[in-house]
Every structure is written in C-alpha cells, then in structure tokens.
C-alpha cells in the first residue's frame, strides 16, 4: 500500500510542478463589401477589416495579431487574421500576405 501512496504523491507533485500553457489562439475572418476593385477601395476595405479585427481581438484580451491571408471576391474582401495572447515563436520578420483574386 505504501508503494501506491508514494506513486500518487509523486504524480501529484509532478502535476503541481508542471505549469500548463494557457495561451489562447483564435482565427478571425472579416468580410468587407466592395463597391469596385480600385486600389483606393481595396486599401480602405483592408484598413477597415484590420481595424475591426484588432478591436475584436483587443476586446478578447489578445495582444498579438497578424494577417494570415486575404482574398478579393467579386463583391467583397475577405481577410483572415490570427490573434493570440502568447508571443509568437516566429522571428522571421514581417509575414507575407497572399492576395488571391476570384471572380
């Protein structure tokens, strides 16, 4: 019986010493309607999408946000972003954004 007690005590001690990772990571997709496909309209739509996403991520308490992709559809701009409360492991510098155009 002493052996089982020792095993349970050691397991509880090991569990108490290991700190869990509580980082939250979410994917946020924002869609902004487009009137046309001019550069000025796309820039304004991208700015609006990023501002909306940053406001939402900040409200959730997430401090690291980056663009994961963007697509221009026939009538809208879709921007995918990732937000987390943990510092990202990437230290490669700015991320590349692939801009896909679909009709």
């Amino acid at each position: 019986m002493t052996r089982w007690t020792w095993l349970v005590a050691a397991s509880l001690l090991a569990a108490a010493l290991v700190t869990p990772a509580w980082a939250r990571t979410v994917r946020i997709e924002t869609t902004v309607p487009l009137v046309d496909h001019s550069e000025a309209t796309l820039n304004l739509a991208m700015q609006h999408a990023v501002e909306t996403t940053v406001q939402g991520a900040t409200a959730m308490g997430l401090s690291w946000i980056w663009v994961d992709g963007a697509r221009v559809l026939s009538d809208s701009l879709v921007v995918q972003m990732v937000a987390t409360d943990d510092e990202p492991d990437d230290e490669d510098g700015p991320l590349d954004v692939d801009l896909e155009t679909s009709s």
Side-chain angles (χ1 to χ4, degrees):
M1 197 60 147
T2 306
R3 181 182 228 178
W4 287 108
T5 305
W6 172 250
L7 182 62
V8 169
S11 297
L12 290 174
L13 181 62
L17 293 177
V18 176
T19 58
W22 296 106
R24 294 179 302 151
T25 302
V26 296
R27 279 185 85 76
I28 303 171
E29 184 172 289
T30 305
T31 303
V32 179
L34 295 174
V35 178
D36 58 35
H37 288 178
S38 68
E39 186 174 343
T41 301
L42 289 173
N43 286 338
L44 187 62
M46 181 63 113
Q47 180 181 354
H48 180 69
V50 169
E51 286 174 358
T52 302
T53 303
V54 168
Q55 287 175 354
T58 302
M60 288 187 272
L62 305 172
S63 55
W64 293 89
I65 306 161
W66 61 93
V67 175
D68 194 39
R71 289 187 320 254
V72 177
L73 304 175
S74 61
D75 61 346
S76 61
L77 171 71
V78 180
V79 178
Q80 297 93 20
M81 298 181 79
V82 177
T84 184
D85 58 357
D86 190 26
E87 188 172 339
D89 295 335
D90 262 3
E91 302 220 2
D92 297 336
L95 297 174
D96 294 330
V97 176
D98 295 328
L99 190 62
E100 300 173 13
T101 305
S102 308
S103 299

